[in-house]
Amino acid sequence: MTTRVHGTQTSLRRATEDDVTRLVAWHDDPDVARFWDDERFTEEEMRERLARPDVEAWIVEADAEPIGYLQVHSAGLDMFLIPSARGRGLGPDAARAMTDHLLDERGWTRVTVDPYTWNGQALRAWEKAGFVEVSNHPADEEHTAAWVLMDFRR
């Protein structure tokens, strides 16, 4: 299994036990949690999340420093960057690198994302990475607010 995926400004590596404390702290930051339905986790809960067989957890790095989290699941990608890493094109770079990896190396035929309609920063970042809006949806069992389905297009 690939242990590192490279973009032009970022690289991604699989999250490990060594990342548990960092991920708990990141999710506890209100400026991260608000984008993830205010979910916060204990270290034990984070270990359980990292062990999920149907979700791959990745750490986004820039200049060899951890700056965000990306998860790959059957429906596509979810990602956040820590506040100090935002606004520099790092999120789109990491998203594009992982998407290219999934399509070119793993044979995926489709990669999607599902940001909330109120999250303009995420919508713009996903668009910069190559995702286009496919449809809008109301809140449901998986989403606490209206959301947009976006597909990656080359």
Side-chain angles (χ1 to χ4, degrees):
M1 172 179 283
T2 301
T3 57
R4 194 164 285 273
V5 172
H6 296 278
T8 58
Q9 303 175 65
T10 61
S11 65
L12 299 100
R13 63 170 174 79
R14 291 299 296 266
T16 69
E17 172 72 24
D18 293 340
D19 296 304
V20 168
T21 301
R22 171 183 293 114
L23 287 167
V24 168
W26 283 351
H27 278 279
D28 202 39
D29 180 338
D31 201 28
V32 170
R34 71 186 181 108
F35 296 107
W36 283 60
D37 299 327
D38 287 316
E39 288 185 304
R40 290 172 169 85
F41 305 97
T42 65
E43 288 193 5
E44 184 55 36
E45 289 169 331
M46 187 56 67
R47 283 184 191 89
E48 291 172 7
R49 290 181 64 77
L50 293 180
R52 294 177 292 176
D54 57 339
V55 177
E56 293 177 16
W58 295 79
I59 299 295
V60 180
E61 295 181 338
D63 298 322
E65 291 296 320
I67 60 158
Y69 172 77
L70 182 143
Q71 64 184 24
V72 176
H73 49 84
S74 61
L77 307 177
D78 295 305
M79 180 175 58
F80 68 78
L81 297 183
I82 59 174
S84 63
R86 297 178 190 156
R88 296 184 282 159
L90 301 173
D93 183 74
R96 179 66 181 246
M98 181 57 72
T99 299
D100 285 344
H101 170 73
L102 294 171
L103 294 170
D104 299 339
E105 304 298 320
R106 296 213 197 158
W108 284 34
T109 57
R110 182 181 190 202
V111 179
T112 64
V113 296
D114 58 352
Y116 289 123
T117 58
W118 57 260
N119 191 346
Q121 189 173 13
L123 290 165
R124 288 186 301 277
W126 290 120
E127 287 171 354
K128 287 179 184 174
F131 288 84
V132 297
E133 183 177 322
V134 175
S135 56
N136 287 280
H137 302 270
D140 57 26
E141 293 175 0
E142 296 290 321
H143 305 86
T144 60
W147 57 282
V148 178
L149 178 65
M150 301 177 83
D151 264 344
F152 181 75
R153 302 278 163 76
R154 285 193 162 141

